[in-house]
Amino acid sequence: MNFQTLSQLAVLAEQRALSIGALMVEEQSAESGRSKEHEFAKMKEYYGVMKEAVRRGMQEDTTSRSGLTGLDAQRVGAYNDANESCLGGPAGQAMAYALAVSEVNASMGRIIATPTAGSCGIIPGVFLSGQERFGWDDDYMTYGLFAAGAIGYVIANNSFVSGAEGGCQAEVGSAIGMAAGALTELRGGTPAQAVHAVGLALKNTLGLICDPVGGLVEIPCIVRNGFGAVTALAAADMALAGVRSVIPSDEVIRVMLEVGSAMPAQHRETAGGGLAQTPTGRKIMEDLRRRK
Amino acid sequence: MRFKDVFSIIGPAMVGPSSSHTAGAARIGRAARQLLGEMPRKAEIIFFGSFAATYQGHGTDRAIAGGLLDFATDDLRLPDSIEIAESSGMEISFRQGTGLFPHPNTVRLRLTGNAGELELTGISIGGGNIEIVDINGFSVKLSGMYPAVLIHHMDYLGVLASVTDTMRRGQVNIGHMSLDRKNRSGAALTVLELDEVLPRELLRELEELPAVKSVKLIHLDESPKEENGEGRSL
């Protein structure tokens, strides 16, 4: 790849007069040695997997093996249909779809890791609700996924994207930043605005620990995906409105690395602290152990 | 760069629930399966760090078993892989390891097949991406992102030159290369990551080089049949 930072990414896109998504299609093709068409088709297929995961999560039984989670997306969907939700329609739908995909994941269904499975609901939630609302076609959404991937590539190589290394900020936080930047571009924002959206979003999740109850990707991961989708919409709106990330987004990524590196092991996906070690979290873990 | 391309960020397509603890683990298992060259008869799986703390909840055990059955990360049989492995005649056990380990998500696999044995250590670095860091006591650095060739050879003068010359004549580009040896003039392992799958005739040429004892291939592509049916001669 010809960029290592978000500022290089924005400059390169502007120099070549390409969107971040279109630039990433070219960069990916150069890196893999396969044609742009081949790489585009693979990404479009991944978008199809995301759509199917949303459909399953909104319609089928997503009760997890542990029995702890499932069907919350359908609860939110039904509530949205019957009531004037606090968020309002489109944001509520993004939240429901994000929950849906995360619940499919928790029940060992098929998803696309974006960037991880623990954070796999946020991008589909933002993308599918946006597509339905604005009438975008699948090709346009596929460019959006390349844009999200370009942003994630920078975050992953300058910081981390696994909860075991850097806490939940690295998973859910990264996904929100990727979704926010991509959505900004899909809505017509410039590459520079998209990069601001990433920094705005990441600042909001700095320090978030990875503390899954019983070590399962269920509590609190699933609801954090729901919240994450809504946060991504907010960050995109701020960036499109002209709000800037005063601390440049690349510097925010370095802060994520600093904070994650300082995070104690019990808050990095070991179930040794946080929500996992509350009285109720411990009781759930005990019950799971006894059931085996 | 630890993460090589867009599909290491958007992807893999996988069965949940965890990209590091499920998909990454499946890829480590699959790499080991391909290196052994057959389904193991006996597999001893040792987890460290976060893997040890949470492997049951994340299905890490099922993912490793699925990998050893050569399943891809999005194979819908993964949730039932331990049962499938056992009914296929694989004796598989899981336990927590002690001592030092290189990464929070570390697993060591001790495999016994009909033709040989393998001990491999892998780490799962996030988003389904992995590194194989040790093979039979040799330090390696293998991402599984590219088709890889592993050459067991004696540490004699000129072996590397003849390997790279073979690759040059076959027009196959090397993206990453490492060599580790047990001792001077002793057993050595060279690992090449390639930009494309190694053609069958080049594999044969490598096997016939002086001082080369064996050559193994790894390719963890999600749909191996379509893209490297020819290249993988395991």
Side-chain angles (χ1 to χ4, degrees):
Chain A
M1 303 288 164
N2 283 307
F3 58 90
Q4 312 302 333
T5 66
L6 291 178
S7 64
Q8 289 169 359
L9 174 65
V11 167
L12 202 60
E14 273 157 19
Q15 276 172 356
R16 293 203 210 159
L18 292 170
S19 67
I20 291 174
L23 171 76
M24 192 58 175
V25 175
E26 294 193 350
E27 291 287 307
Q28 171 65 22
S29 170
E31 176 61 33
S32 70
R34 289 186 280 264
S35 69
K36 286 192 276 185
E37 294 71 25
H38 179 280
E39 302 300 74
F40 193 86
K42 179 171 176 180
M43 190 67 91
K44 198 169 167 181
E45 206 179 297
Y46 277 7
Y47 191 57
V49 175
M50 292 181 193
K51 278 186 166 176
E52 171 58 16
V54 168
R55 189 203 61 74
R56 272 196 61 194
M58 295 306 292
Q59 292 176 7
E60 294 179 16
D61 185 5
T62 53
T63 305
S64 65
R65 275 187 186 227
S66 70
L68 290 172
T69 56
L71 303 174
D72 281 345
Q74 293 171 33
R75 285 186 188 96
V76 170
Y79 163 81
N80 284 346
D81 289 343
N83 301 277
E84 182 65 32
S85 72
C86 302
L87 280 172
Q93 195 172 35
M95 181 167 78
Y97 287 178
L99 293 171
V101 176
S102 282
E103 287 179 327
V104 167
N105 177 60
S107 54
M108 291 193 92
R110 188 183 277 148
I111 54 94
I112 304 294
T114 51
T116 68
S119 58
C120 69
I122 292 162
I123 287 176
V126 168
F127 274 48
L128 266 90
S129 60
Q131 180 173 32
E132 286 175 10
R133 184 177 177 193
F134 298 111
W136 295 323
D137 66 16
D138 282 2
D139 280 0
Y140 194 65
M141 304 315 293
T142 304
Y143 279 113
L145 288 179
F146 275 98
I151 294 161
Y153 172 84
V154 170
I155 297 172
N157 280 313
N158 289 291
S159 181
F160 23 48
V161 290
S162 82
E165 287 176 328
C168 191
Q169 57 167 4
E171 298 201 20
V172 160
S174 297
I176 298 171
M178 291 159 62
L183 180 62
T184 301
E185 177 155 290
L186 289 169
R187 292 298 317 278
T190 63
Q193 281 177 310
V195 166
H196 280 299
V198 179
L200 291 167
L202 287 180
K203 279 187 282 194
N204 194 48
T205 46
L206 286 175
L208 194 62
I209 60 173
C210 179
D211 51 351
V213 171
L216 305 172
V217 190
E218 298 190 38
I219 302 166
C221 321
I222 294 171
V223 295
R224 281 189 188 159
N225 275 264
F227 287 121
V230 176
T231 305
L233 302 183
D237 271 342
M238 283 194 213
L240 288 161
V243 177
R244 297 168 59 252
S245 179
V246 174
I247 306 299
S249 301
D250 288 307
E251 294 181 27
V252 180
I253 292 172
R254 293 206 65 81
V255 176
M256 185 162 96
L257 178 67
E258 173 200 318
V259 172
S261 302
M263 220 175 251
Q266 67 259 35
H267 296 147
R268 287 186 284 115
E269 208 174 351
T270 54
L275 295 169
Q277 288 297 328
T278 54
T280 304
R282 279 207 303 272
K283 184 175 173 303
I284 290 172
M285 205 181 315
E286 222 18 72
D287 289 348
L288 288 171
R289 220 169 263 153
R290 221 170 294 132
R291 225 193 294 166
K292 276 190 192 109
Chain B
M1 307 303 279
R2 290 204 304 163
F3 298 85
K4 316 278 185 193
D5 78 341
V6 76
F7 294 114
S8 61
I9 305 298
I10 306 290
M14 58 167 284
V15 168
S18 167
S19 44
S20 53
H21 290 59
T22 317
R27 297 180 82 228
I28 292 170
R30 197 169 187 202
R33 157 76 187 250
Q34 294 183 359
L35 273 180
L36 188 68
E38 58 179 313
M39 190 187 82
R41 275 189 292 113
K42 186 160 175 262
E44 191 187 349
I45 314 303
I46 306 150
F47 293 117
F48 298 87
S50 169
F51 266 11
T54 65
Y55 74 89
Q56 285 161 324
H58 282 124
T60 311
D61 46 358
R62 297 175 182 281
I64 294 276
L68 291 174
L69 291 164
D70 211 19
F71 292 173
T73 54
D74 68 339
D75 194 312
L76 290 172
R77 294 171 295 176
L78 272 178
D80 305 312
S81 62
I82 292 180
E83 293 77 10
I84 297 172
E86 283 170 348
S87 65
S88 309
M90 188 194 306
E91 185 192 318
I92 186 163
S93 65
F94 302 93
R95 64 180 170 90
Q96 301 191 4
T98 52
L100 294 174
F101 51 92
H103 187 274
N105 297 329
T106 297
V107 61
R108 185 164 299 140
L109 288 74
R110 293 200 180 115
L111 308 180
T112 310
N114 290 319
E117 296 185 346
L118 173 74
E119 180 168 320
L120 173 148
T121 305
I123 63 176
S124 183
I125 63 173
N129 299 284
I130 62 162
E131 283 174 17
I132 306 295
V133 296
D134 188 284
I135 296 171
N136 290 333
F138 291 107
S139 293
V140 297
K141 191 169 183 295
L142 186 59
S143 71
M145 282 292 296
Y146 302 97
V149 183
L150 291 92
I151 306 167
H152 282 276
H153 59 90
M154 298 306 291
D155 176 43
Y156 295 157
L157 181 74
V159 174
L160 268 191
S162 52
V163 166
T164 53
D165 187 54
T166 305
M167 307 311 277
R168 183 187 59 80
R169 279 187 287 108
Q171 297 285 296
V172 175
N173 190 45
I174 300 168
H176 184 269
M177 180 164 92
S178 69
L179 181 152
D180 191 30
R181 64 180 183 185
K182 290 277 165 77
N183 54 295
R184 192 165 172 164
S185 302
L189 177 67
T190 290
V191 179
L192 311 176
E193 288 193 314
L194 306 176
D195 284 348
E196 58 199 277
V197 176
L198 189 75
R200 197 179 284 272
E201 58 276 15
L202 281 195
L203 172 68
R204 219 163 290 131
E205 280 186 43
L206 288 176
E207 284 170 339
E208 284 164 9
L209 290 174
V212 167
K213 292 195 291 189
S214 73
V215 183
K216 301 276 188 188
L217 305 183
I218 295 182
H219 190 199
L220 300 180
D221 197 277
E222 283 166 63
S223 46
K225 280 180 210 95
E226 147 203 357
E227 289 202 15
N228 74 337
E230 270 305 294
R232 213 173 91 209
S233 61
L234 293 177

